[in-house]
Amino acid sequence: CYGGTAALLNAFNWVESSAWDGRYAIVVAVDIATYARGPARPTCGAGAVAVLIGRNAPLALVDPRERATHASNVYDFFKPDHSVEYPVVDGALSQACYYRALEDCYDKFCDRVDRLNGATLEEVGGGDGSKDNEHFHAEAADYFVFHAPYNKLVQKSYGRMHLMDARRKHARELLRKDSEEKKDDNDKSTAPQDSDIGGSALAEEYLTKPIGETYSDKALEGALKSISKSSYAQRLTDANAASKIVGNTYTASVFLGLASLVNRAGGRGELTPGKTAVVFSYGSGAMATMYRLHVRDPTLTANNNGR
């Protein structure tokens, strides 16, 4: 499922390198998702997407540093028997691997974007957290595009990004408390009791509990779904529209989502210069990358070297 993204990043690197000879690159992602009888079979699908890569693109990876990658060695999904077309899948493990990859990528991505924007605790926090919104968060991008094995997983995962925001904010608050030398003992010993995200509060237990222990928490899942519901509808509905019809397409999935976003939001004239889309690509085994695309007006130069 990650192969198309690996090719995309290689194409990006070539086009931006001194070895580029002016030609376009084409990344073709094609796959058939098929499962044996069972709960996963309704998610089956097939798709092919070709992506044209070159300089002066209307959708651009403007800064290669706006990217984070996760890698792990896990047998959550594999095909040990080449005489059958169906994979061996551990559904619960595979979902946990997806969550871990997303959270690792998102945490690194936020740190990198914050550093690029100068949004450190000292420069932005101001000691009182009054400028916490200047840190990257789950509602900072105009759109998100996820690898979509099935859309319920995408919705739950986007909710977990709000949990990560709350946990990151909580960690910053604790850091501030540690740095306040003139507070009295009562103030110093009082940790934040909750974190407000999306207008709702999460109990402190979710901000400090080992993250793996939250994966099967249905109460938390429901709370995160409620917290992220309106933002999900605004930022992910267009990208998820195609996969709801087609189903899972493995390596083509994230590109099908991007094409769906361009078709729907672009068709309404809403993909205007200055807007951004954060893309999360995942493949079992496991590899994942999160990166940010910027919408812009292409501007050709005399020697066609516009980025």
Side-chain angles (χ1 to χ4, degrees):
C1 292
Y2 185 80
T5 293
L8 180 78
L9 297 178
N10 283 337
F12 281 158
N13 290 336
W14 175 64
V15 167
E16 289 296 325
S17 74
S18 59
W20 185 63
D21 57 9
R23 293 179 296 168
Y24 290 111
I26 300 177
V27 173
V28 181
V30 185
D31 225 328
I32 300 172
T34 181
Y35 298 95
R37 289 181 182 272
R41 177 163 279 190
T43 70
C44 291
V49 180
V51 186
L52 188 67
I53 310 297
R55 296 186 181 182
N56 194 48
L59 271 178
L61 182 68
V62 172
D63 190 335
R65 294 173 296 178
E66 294 182 342
R67 185 175 80 197
T69 294
H70 165 90
S72 60
N73 183 22
V74 59
Y75 283 87
D76 63 313
F77 178 110
F78 58 105
K79 293 185 177 181
D81 185 352
H82 296 287
S83 66
V84 296
E85 61 181 333
Y86 307 126
V88 173
V89 184
D90 183 329
L93 175 60
S94 192
Q95 178 172 294
C97 291
Y98 188 100
Y99 285 160
R100 282 197 293 267
L102 172 67
E103 290 157 1
D104 187 30
C105 283
Y106 184 61
D107 201 39
K108 293 174 182 174
F109 180 84
C110 289
D111 284 344
R112 291 182 181 184
V113 172
D114 285 352
R115 283 198 300 269
L116 291 171
N117 293 338
T120 63
L121 176 65
E122 295 78 13
E123 294 169 334
V124 175
D128 60 1
S130 60
K131 295 185 178 181
D132 258 328
N133 285 338
E134 294 189 29
H135 291 270
F136 189 87
H137 53 87
E139 299 182 8
D142 298 289
Y143 304 100
F144 286 87
V145 182
F146 279 56
H147 173 72
Y150 54 97
N151 278 278
K152 187 176 180 181
L153 178 60
V154 174
Q155 187 171 12
K156 290 193 291 187
S157 298
Y158 183 63
R160 293 194 65 83
M161 285 172 58
H162 286 74
L163 172 63
M164 294 297 291
D165 287 342
R167 290 170 70 101
R168 289 171 60 83
K169 180 180 178 182
H170 181 75
R172 291 196 298 269
E173 289 170 346
L174 292 178
L175 220 78
R176 288 191 196 96
K177 280 191 168 290
D178 289 341
S179 67
E180 291 172 351
E181 299 177 353
K182 296 182 180 180
K183 291 282 186 180
D184 59 47
D185 291 339
N186 289 333
D187 285 338
K188 286 183 178 178
S189 62
T190 304
Q193 296 303 304
D194 54 41
S195 189
D196 191 23
I197 54 173
S200 301
L202 285 177
E204 185 186 1
E205 64 172 303
Y206 292 129
L207 308 180
T208 57
K209 194 174 186 178
I211 194 69
E213 295 180 12
T214 68
Y215 292 161
S216 58
D217 192 316
K218 294 299 182 182
L220 174 62
E221 183 181 302
L224 294 175
K225 182 177 179 180
S226 177
I227 288 168
S228 62
K229 183 177 181 180
S230 61
S231 181
Y232 173 86
Q234 177 184 344
R235 292 176 170 82
L236 285 96
T237 297
D238 289 327
N240 289 341
S243 63
K244 285 183 176 181
I245 300 169
V246 176
N248 190 2
T249 55
Y250 288 169
T251 194
S253 176
V254 75
F255 300 107
L256 183 65
L258 188 58
S260 181
L261 173 64
V262 170
N263 177 63
R264 290 169 61 87
R268 296 192 301 267
E270 295 174 5
L271 277 181
T272 53
K275 290 196 171 181
T276 60
V278 171
V279 180
F280 173 66
S281 177
Y282 173 83
S284 289
M287 284 288 298
T289 293
M290 179 174 286
Y291 56 94
R292 180 159 63 173
L293 298 175
H294 296 254
V295 182
R296 65 180 185 176
D297 279 326
T299 304
L300 289 171
T301 61
N303 58 1
N304 197 28
N305 275 339
R307 290 191 64 191

